[in-house]
Amino acid sequence: MTQQLTGAATASGTRTRWWRDAVIYQVYVRSFADSDGDGIGDLRGIEERLPYLAELGADAVWLTPFYASPQADGGYDVADYRVVDPLFGTLADAESLLGAAHALGLRVIVDVVPNHTSDRHVWFRDALAGGPARERYHFRPGTGADGGLPPNDWQSVFGGPAWTRVPDGSWYLHLFAPEQPDLNWENQEVRAEFDAILRFWLELGGGGVDGFRIDVAHGMVKAAGLPDIGTPEQVRMIGSQTLPFFDQDGVHEIHRGWRELLDSYAGERIGVAEAWAPSAERLALYVRPDELHQAFNFQFLRCPWDAPAMRTVVDESLAATASVGAPTTWVLSNHDVVRHVTRYGGGTTGLRRARAAALLMLALPGSAYLYQGEELGLPEVTDLPDELREDPSFFRSSGQEGLRDGCRVPIPWAEDGPSYGFGPGAGWLPQPDGWGECSVRAQTGNPGSTLELYREALALRRRLAGLGDGPMHWLDAPAGVLAFARPGFVCTVNTLSAAVELPAPGRPLLSTSAPDISGESVRIPGDSCTWWAI
Ligand code: NOJ
């Protein structure tokens, strides 16, 4: 296990800081494996496939929300935080999954969604009925002569106003869909309830969960008085500038409290921020020593396939996290973005670059997140019929935005079958013809396959104790090439489409396209990455 190789024990001898270099595999529950044939992935399906994840070489699994929910936003609209939605199974299934994962040496992180509840949550029902739970949300009178205009100019991330009017004439805030009313984190009952929810999952049977991925960790606190932004360009600015509802200093106090709570449990349970901060420096604030353990590095995910741009992101990310002593994280895809094969150009070029980017990511210091199916080299599905789409932002933006269904298509496990092994019947979204060629079964044992590349890379990463958490330094390289050294190791990435010649840095260990070594020099194919032993 990685933690045995590279973790640093503390005075008690028990803490291993496993998260600093962990490879964490994201399971989008609805689309991973369907055990009961209803077309929707479920907890039992995941449990059956845990050996696959252990054998792939993941250290931990992150499960997207599987709680009771009307599914207005793929489960990020939670109606009951302590209940498993019948679509996905039962609480007993969750306990069984946790026990099975732990027996295989896999940790399990689950999502917590604290910025908003579902509009079907008992609190919001009470709020609409004028009950005391109204104080736990943001209700305001409207503006304009008859209060018919929203209280301020904030726009929903999914498009349209961030406010919806209710029958008594007042408005409530929802930074996402109207079915996701924002909670008021100034309210002490909200804080107490989420502490209790965290404890519930930490103490569940099967050893409890090993941590939480905190949804919208940057949005729970809003600027006092909910001030106008004053510009219609607001939504475009998310992640590039501070807005009165994102990245407010007040969120840090909540995260510090959660860190204390996590630390009060044995077993190094972690908190991971899904925080869209305007800069690497602002993001680093979420991972100060007394705050969360990790934050997703979306700057890396957003970076184009371009050597200078990638180098800048790597440098900025490492510098920012080093300033607070935290590990950097790396991520290329998740359930909210176009899969990186497609982002990097699609087709064979996109796949070559995606494979190279994966080796680059896994050679960098820190922890890496994999999104289900990237180890199969899956592209985005771009031709889903509109009537099958479920992404709420698709509907709120007249189809111009929010095409997140294309990365959520059920993944293929077998060459054939009604859903290529995803389940006994068809999946909730149609898979492209020929999807079976990308399946786990088709790629297993094929030495040139993307799946075997990932398996080998993860196995090597474990074996080479200096990878993961530790130092790196850049080496001289021709334009378009990135080269860096880790202890006993060099990684070269050619981002150009043409081959490049350079002095051979050492003995090749693993590559996405074989380098051509002749004497002291090597020709590195275009769009490729090679790991070298030195
Ligand atoms: C981030 C989640 O990843 C996304 O899927 C969701 O729509 C929003 N947060 C709102 O909860």
Side-chain angles (χ1 to χ4, degrees), residues 341-342 345-352 379:
V341 168
T342 305
T348 48
T349 302
L351 181 58
R352 285 173 67 85

Side-chain angles (χ1 to χ4, degrees), residues 328-352:
T328 306
T329 64
W330 310 102
V331 58
L332 290 165
S333 280
N334 65 33
H335 65 292
D336 289 332
V337 299
V338 171
R339 283 187 179 274
H340 56 281
V341 168
T342 305
R343 281 204 326 267
Y344 289 146
T348 48
T349 302
L351 181 58
R352 285 173 67 85

Side-chain angles (χ1 to χ4, degrees), residues 73 76 116 158 176 213 215-216 274 335-336 404 408:
D73 180 23
Y76 283 96
H116 44 263
F158 291 159
F176 295 89
R213 176 264 190 196
D215 191 59
V216 200
E274 188 236 3
H335 65 292
D336 289 332
R404 296 181 301 171
R408 300 176 178 180

Side-chain angles (χ1 to χ4, degrees), residues 267-340:
E268 294 184 282
R269 323 285 179 113
I270 68 166
V272 184
E274 188 236 3
W276 294 81
S279 65
E281 290 73 32
R282 288 292 300 180
L283 188 64
L285 300 181
Y286 291 78
V287 288
R288 285 177 284 191
D290 59 348
E291 288 200 37
L292 301 172
H293 300 75
Q294 293 185 340
F296 290 111
N297 182 354
F298 293 125
Q299 318 277 3
F300 185 65
L301 180 153
R302 288 170 152 188
C303 187
W305 183 244
D306 172 76
M310 287 176 140
R311 182 170 169 158
T312 301
V313 167
V314 169
D315 283 342
E316 286 179 2
S317 309
L318 290 172
T321 48
S323 71
V324 290
T328 306
T329 64
W330 310 102
V331 58
L332 290 165
S333 280
N334 65 33
H335 65 292
D336 289 332
V337 299
V338 171
R339 283 187 179 274
H340 56 281

Side-chain angles (χ1 to χ4, degrees), residues 31 50 134 207 357:
S31 305
L50 287 175
R134 203 173 166 93

Side-chain angles (χ1 to χ4, degrees), residues 180-200:
Q180 295 166 295
D182 276 53
L183 284 164
N184 171 14
W185 275 83
E186 307 301 331
N187 182 291
Q188 292 311 313
E189 288 154 346
V190 170
R191 294 185 182 227
E193 171 64 357
F194 272 88
D195 280 0
I197 291 166
L198 297 188
R199 290 186 187 285
F200 175 84

Side-chain angles (χ1 to χ4, degrees), residues 54 67 88 109 144 150 200 213-214 283 300 310 318 411 430 442 454 463-464:
Y67 317 112
F88 304 122
I109 293 168
F200 175 84
R213 176 264 190 196
I214 301 159
L283 188 64
F300 185 65
M310 287 176 140
L318 290 172
I411 63 168
Y454 270 74
R463 266 210 310 280
L464 304 169

